[in-house]
Amino acid sequence: MRRLDFDATGAAGPSSPAVELAALAVSALRDEVDLTPKPGLVDRATRGAHRDMDHALMVASAQALEPGFTAIARAAESERDPVALRAALGAAGRDAEAAMMRVTRGVNTHRGAIWALGLIVGAAAALPRSQWRAAALLRWVARMAAIDDPALAAPRRVSNGARVVARYRVAGARGEAMGGFPQIVQAGLPALRAARAMGASEAAARLDALAALIAVLDDTCVLHRAGPDGLASVQSAAVTVAERGGAASPAGCAALAQLDRLFLELNASPGGAADLLAATLLVDRLETTAGPAPGVQETDHANAIA
């Protein structure tokens, strides 16, 4: 059933594609925060490794981003010059971040998600619905992320993520986007769909996707708090979740609980993996919305990004 918006006269009409895409993005963020229990992350039951966030705050933050995602989609619908579009996307993203910060009173709840999901929303808005497949969407993301945002030429506060990227020489948020978010197609989506195919519940499938992402992502949130040794330990523990049957099995659930304890001991949270889980869920939903793939099989992701 299509959403209805009301114009200035009060008449109802079908929602615009931009509004539809923004709603899908917020829904993906809500699905991520509602997923319980998650290792090291805020969920319905706990604050994870966070002292300054809770479930209500995360929900309010996600809802506050809907106008920003709508603006991103509208920019991608209307602007065809890549450099001008990159500038417009950057401006819309900063407006969305400001709205988030107003709601959270300065707590960074979803900055990484604005970047990741914003680019995917932009890709979907720029491409015809028939091309809402992971390869095409993430190829567009890679090309857009490679363009410098002209507004960032001015001096800005250096973020914790930027410091981690420089110190440990990892890809970071922009590098991952320039690679077309390979973790989504190599880890997140395969784990999500494999669990579903095995008859797991949707919650278990999403937890398996999260564990798969934690296992392969050089998460700057973890590196910032726990350093490379801490990152290696949580990646290894995340691999164990799959080895023990995933979240649908008792042994896999025990491994997830152990992963959660490890994050709490390290006082670290896999915030980057959480953002990529939401991005994975958004790509999955866009592919479902696009309908069955054409008869010709999709190009391999590595070739598509190249």
Side-chain angles (χ1 to χ4, degrees):
M1 184 175 180
R2 289 178 63 83
R3 290 182 47 172
L4 295 180
D5 286 342
F6 292 86
D7 62 22
T9 67
S15 63
S16 73
V19 170
E20 200 176 351
L21 286 169
L24 287 175
V26 171
S27 178
L29 288 176
R30 283 294 311 270
D31 287 343
E32 183 279 316
V33 73
D34 287 347
L35 184 61
T36 305
K38 293 193 300 289
L41 292 161
V42 172
D43 57 29
R44 288 185 178 274
T46 75
R47 296 185 177 205
H50 297 277
R51 295 185 178 87
D52 56 353
M53 303 179 197
D54 59 20
H55 181 264
L57 186 71
M58 296 295 289
V59 169
S61 171
Q63 293 300 144
L65 296 179
E66 190 157 2
F69 287 134
T70 302
I72 285 169
R74 285 179 173 152
E77 285 175 341
S78 59
E79 181 58 71
R80 288 293 173 261
D81 178 74
V83 175
L85 175 55
R86 179 65 186 87
L89 294 179
R94 287 186 291 278
D95 286 346
E97 182 179 324
M100 173 194 77
M101 290 294 194
R102 286 193 294 271
V103 166
T104 65
R105 298 183 179 181
V107 178
N108 173 19
T109 45
H110 283 120
R111 183 178 289 143
I114 295 169
W115 168 250
L117 276 72
L119 284 170
I120 294 168
V121 164
L127 297 172
R129 190 174 294 241
S130 62
Q131 293 184 35
W132 287 2
R133 321 303 307 178
L137 290 166
L138 297 177
R139 181 169 56 243
W140 189 97
V141 164
R143 289 173 177 166
M144 191 55 54
I147 300 172
D148 291 334
D149 183 347
L152 298 186
R156 291 171 60 87
R157 182 180 64 84
V158 178
S159 67
N160 290 330
R163 292 189 187 94
V164 168
V165 168
R167 180 175 181 182
Y168 297 112
R169 299 185 182 279
V170 294
R174 184 180 182 188
E176 301 295 352
M178 289 171 65
F181 293 124
Q183 298 85 359
I184 292 177
V185 290
Q186 294 172 9
L189 283 174
L192 181 73
R193 291 168 178 174
R196 288 171 177 166
M198 293 294 291
S201 69
E202 185 62 18
R206 291 172 182 177
L207 286 168
D208 282 359
L210 176 61
L213 290 164
I214 293 170
V216 299
L217 179 65
D218 291 330
D219 197 321
T220 55
C221 296
V222 178
L223 280 167
H224 173 62
R225 292 286 188 90
D229 290 344
L231 176 65
S233 65
V234 298
Q235 287 177 329
S236 176
V239 170
T240 302
V241 175
E243 291 176 342
R244 295 188 179 174
S249 73
C253 285
L256 270 171
Q258 177 57 39
L259 179 58
D260 182 50
R261 288 191 290 271
L262 180 56
F263 276 119
L264 296 182
E265 289 168 7
L266 294 170
N267 189 33
S269 169
D275 294 337
L276 284 187
L277 175 60
T280 296
L281 297 176
L282 177 57
V283 171
D284 178 66
R285 199 155 298 164
L286 288 169
E287 288 199 340
T288 299
T289 304
V296 179
Q297 285 202 336
E298 220 178 294
T299 306
D300 174 83
H301 179 70
N303 294 333
I305 297 305

